Amino acid sequence: MITTDPAQFITDFYSSFHDDLVSTDEDAAVIVDRYHTPDVVQYADGNRMDRGKLIAHTRPVRKNRPTSRIEVHDALADGDRLAARYTLYVHNRGKDLAIEVHFFGRFAPDGRLREGNSFTRTVKEFA
């Protein structure tokens, strides 16, 4: 059950997960498990990721150590469900990206992501 402001909840979730990945040398599986249930399933632009694929997805993030910030435009929560529209600003390997994200997710009572669907669109790219 999401009992805090939905915009702050998704901001804190994303920012903390990202910071733990790029700011520590802690095992990626431990970090993924801190933020996701063991049976997590995420679809990002139609690509399915389970726990194993999510852990593998962290490898390039950890290698490149991009910086990022999230600006939430809209967020709604109902029980364990959260919907948000936000812009993700990323600086990675000399490029600055602004990525529009539409996210729909379900969270466990402890705040870990159980199920997520996101649709993205890069709206700006700078060299």
Side-chain angles (χ1 to χ4, degrees):
M1 173 108 14
I2 298 166
T3 58
T4 61
D5 173 63
Q8 191 63 54
F9 181 91
I10 195 67
T11 298
D12 292 346
F13 179 88
Y14 175 81
S15 299
S16 297
F17 179 52
H18 178 81
D19 289 348
D20 284 357
L21 283 174
V22 301
S23 301
T24 72
D25 291 326
E26 188 175 16
D27 185 271
V30 172
I31 295 171
V32 166
D33 290 344
R34 186 177 306 132
Y35 292 92
H36 303 82
T37 61
D39 60 343
V40 66
V41 175
Q42 285 187 262
Y43 289 89
D45 296 325
N47 298 305
R48 185 183 190 277
M49 285 193 293
D50 58 13
R51 178 183 177 273
K53 288 182 180 178
L54 185 57
I55 292 167
H57 181 70
T58 66
R59 288 187 188 107
V61 172
R62 296 194 102 178
K63 178 183 175 189
N64 296 322
R65 301 212 186 272
T67 59
S68 69
R69 71 178 176 83
I70 181 174
E71 180 183 345
V72 178
H73 308 293
D74 298 294
L76 300 166
D78 183 17
D80 66 347
R81 298 175 188 272
L82 186 139
R85 183 178 64 86
Y86 59 88
T87 302
L88 178 61
Y89 297 94
V90 178
H91 177 79
N92 187 30
R93 299 171 60 186
K95 288 187 179 180
D96 291 309
L97 302 172
I99 303 164
E100 188 175 85
V101 180
H102 293 82
F103 171 83
F104 305 90
R106 286 185 45 221
F107 290 82
D110 62 6
R112 293 183 298 160
L113 182 63
R114 172 173 287 144
E115 177 184 322
N117 287 279
S118 60
F119 306 94
T120 66
R121 173 175 77 106
T122 301
V123 291
K124 291 183 184 177
E125 184 175 334
F126 312 96

